[in-house]
Amino acid sequence: MIRTGEEYRDSIRGNREIYVNGEKVKDVTAHPQFKPLVDIRARIFDMQHEKEHRDLMTVTQDGEVNALGSALPYTRDDWWAKRRATDHMMNEIGGVVTRVGDETVGEMWSLYDGQDVLNEVDPQFSKNIENHIFRVLKEDPFHVSANTDPKGDRSKSPQDQDPDMLLHVVKETDEGIVVRGAKYETAAAYANQAFTKPTIANWGNAEMSDYAVGFICDLNSPNLKFICRTGFAGRAPAKDYPLANRFDEVDTIVIFDNVLIPWENVLFYRHTKAATFIRATLHRYSAYAFVQRNLKVADMMIGAALFNARQTGLENQQAVQEKLAKLAVYREGINAHLTAAITLGETSPAGLMMPNQSLLYTGRVHACSQLHEMMHIARELCGGQICVTPDSASFEAPETKPWMEKYYSINDEWVADDRRKLLAYARDLLNSDYAGHRLTFQLFAQSPPFAHLAAVYRNFDWDGPLAFVKESADLSDKVLGGQSLAAKDPAIASYFSPATETGRRAAE
């Protein structure tokens, strides 16, 4: 059943070894660099119980109320409900958070689709993933994902350097496997569990490897250490950096110092075929929620830029409108990919509704690869005042307040305090340490840019263009090497397929 915010806080208090700024954290729920995000995650849990939010945030199945974000998607309507819930959540908290659970639980659904692969390794692994998918639904933990290893010298195989550079199994016991190594994971210090899996394909053996392991890690397990980067919260007043003080999701290197993983939590082990499958399909669901976050970031840039143009009287200038239009094109490009990925969704091997893979991954490339350019356009529209405006204390101190009101008030609609707030917001969104961190995070959080394009390459339907050019150029059948291809648009073929209502009506 859905948890409350306080139940979540209780679940992460205790004996965790968490370090930040070189000091051990006594209570992660109260520490100033973690508390803002702990409070947001607790707020999301509480929203599921509140009358004005619960119908959007939850789903009732078999008489139980569960978190909508963790529910398996079987229909297009399920995806629309997830998209609406995510948008509603971000509207309620007033900003964008990426690692709060709904965007990572989908990675396990990819393994749900790969049960045939897991059964080849060990049927118990297939049962384990099904058990964990429904455990997340029933118990409502804060679930995250652990992907990236320190890696070390990438020109060498794992066995040719310090073996702990990549997470690996060091021992099997009756209770489970014992693992050593490290993983980077955002939010791990204040989450409940992590889907932990490998990030490389060079495991040192074509079939069997101790590095090809995936499991669910209880983040309260003994022998885990959490070493966190310094957070942005508390570095400067919240009035001057309103985003950094509320929405910084603290990244962590999680040290596995001989950690026991019970057999029931092991999802695959040693067989590189299973590891390769999950790496290739990892984001087939989770990319949707990830890309939707970019849509909200685009809204933030548009809102900040448009307000700035209006308050300075520049909105009607053609050059300004052109730049605003570019931001709108970026935003609607993301929107179009998300909408089309649902509309042309595909049935997965396990019978789930899977967003159209080519459109989803193409949308991810669009959203991430263009983000830095859109931030630059938004900076231009906001102008140099996001660099030079004094801090909030200068707007409040008796000696300087009159001067700030004189030079920052424009008219009755735009007084000094509102202009200060807008410029502080834009500075934190576009020009601060936090802004730079977020830009890099969006480029690499799911995988590096080249891997984004590799996913597009794997999922694009190349047959249609080949068949069209073969016929248009009057090429012989020899060029297809015995294949038989049809010159079809995949969107049209999908929309009018017998599996859709439109297709059934067309057939009739």
Side-chain angles (χ1 to χ4, degrees), residues 118-373:
L118 296 179
N119 279 329
E120 291 180 21
V121 179
D122 186 333
Q124 185 59 47
F125 294 159
S126 178
K127 293 178 183 177
N128 288 352
I129 185 61
E130 187 168 357
N131 290 339
H132 275 287
I133 284 172
F134 289 101
R135 177 176 168 268
V136 167
L137 189 62
K138 302 292 185 184
E139 298 181 12
D140 201 18
F142 179 6
H143 172 95
V144 294
S145 170
N147 295 319
T148 304
D149 306 80
K151 296 185 180 73
D153 187 342
R154 300 192 195 191
S155 69
K156 297 179 179 180
S157 66
Q159 294 85 350
D160 293 333
Q161 57 179 318
D162 184 337
D164 294 344
M165 283 296 175
L166 277 79
L167 186 76
H168 61 115
V169 178
V170 294
K171 185 169 64 174
E172 294 182 24
T173 72
D174 291 341
E175 292 78 21
I177 57 176
V178 177
V179 297
R180 284 186 60 82
K183 288 284 184 181
Y184 291 100
E185 177 45 42
T186 304
Y190 48 93
N192 295 122
Q193 64 179 40
F195 176 22
T196 309
K197 62 274 185 193
T199 56
I200 66 163
N202 179 22
W203 292 292
N205 186 289
E207 295 182 2
M208 307 289 285
S209 172
D210 289 334
Y211 292 89
V213 60
F215 53 86
I216 299 296
C217 180
D218 179 347
L219 294 174
N220 283 329
S221 297
N223 300 334
L224 284 176
K225 295 175 176 60
F226 304 83
I227 304 175
C228 307
R229 67 161 173 83
T230 300
F232 295 106
R235 289 190 187 180
K239 288 184 178 181
D240 296 314
Y241 293 90
L243 300 177
N245 277 283
R246 295 177 60 201
F247 302 110
D248 178 33
E249 301 172 73
V250 181
D251 309 289
T252 303
I253 180 169
V254 183
I255 310 297
F256 293 78
D257 187 18
N258 291 334
V259 175
L260 174 66
I261 308 298
W263 284 116
E264 61 266 24
N265 290 352
V266 179
L267 305 181
F268 57 86
Y269 168 42
R270 299 212 77 210
H271 288 254
T272 58
K273 181 178 180 179
T276 301
F277 174 85
I278 190 56
R279 288 311 315 170
T281 64
L282 183 63
H283 300 131
R284 60 167 48 164
Y285 300 100
S286 62
Y288 194 91
F290 179 77
V291 174
Q292 188 178 350
R293 265 65 172 183
N294 288 65
L295 186 70
K296 209 65 174 178
V297 172
D299 285 341
M300 294 167 75
M301 289 191 290
I302 290 171
L306 182 53
F307 266 134
N308 190 71
R310 285 182 175 177
Q311 55 97 8
T312 53
L314 297 176
E315 181 184 4
N316 294 322
Q317 288 194 6
Q318 183 177 351
V320 171
Q321 291 179 349
E322 287 178 356
K323 286 181 169 59
L324 286 167
K326 287 183 179 180
L327 289 175
V329 168
Y330 171 69
R331 193 266 183 205
E332 291 297 72
I334 300 172
N335 178 33
H337 281 94
L338 290 172
T339 301
I342 293 178
T343 303
L344 299 178
E346 310 162 74
T347 301
S348 80
L352 303 180
M353 178 54 64
M354 185 171 63
N356 183 283
Q357 295 294 276
S358 183
L359 290 167
L360 178 58
Y361 289 130
T362 305
R364 183 172 66 174
V365 170
H366 170 70
C368 294
S369 66
Q370 299 300 307
L371 178 57
H372 66 289
E373 294 185 21

Side-chain angles (χ1 to χ4, degrees), residues 13 18 32 35 113 116 134 158 190 224 304 325 355 380 443 465 477 493-494 503 507:
R13 291 190 182 101
I18 302 172
K35 187 177 185 300
D113 281 339
D116 289 346
F134 289 101
Y190 48 93
L224 284 176
E380 286 189 75
L443 286 175
D477 292 341
S494 175

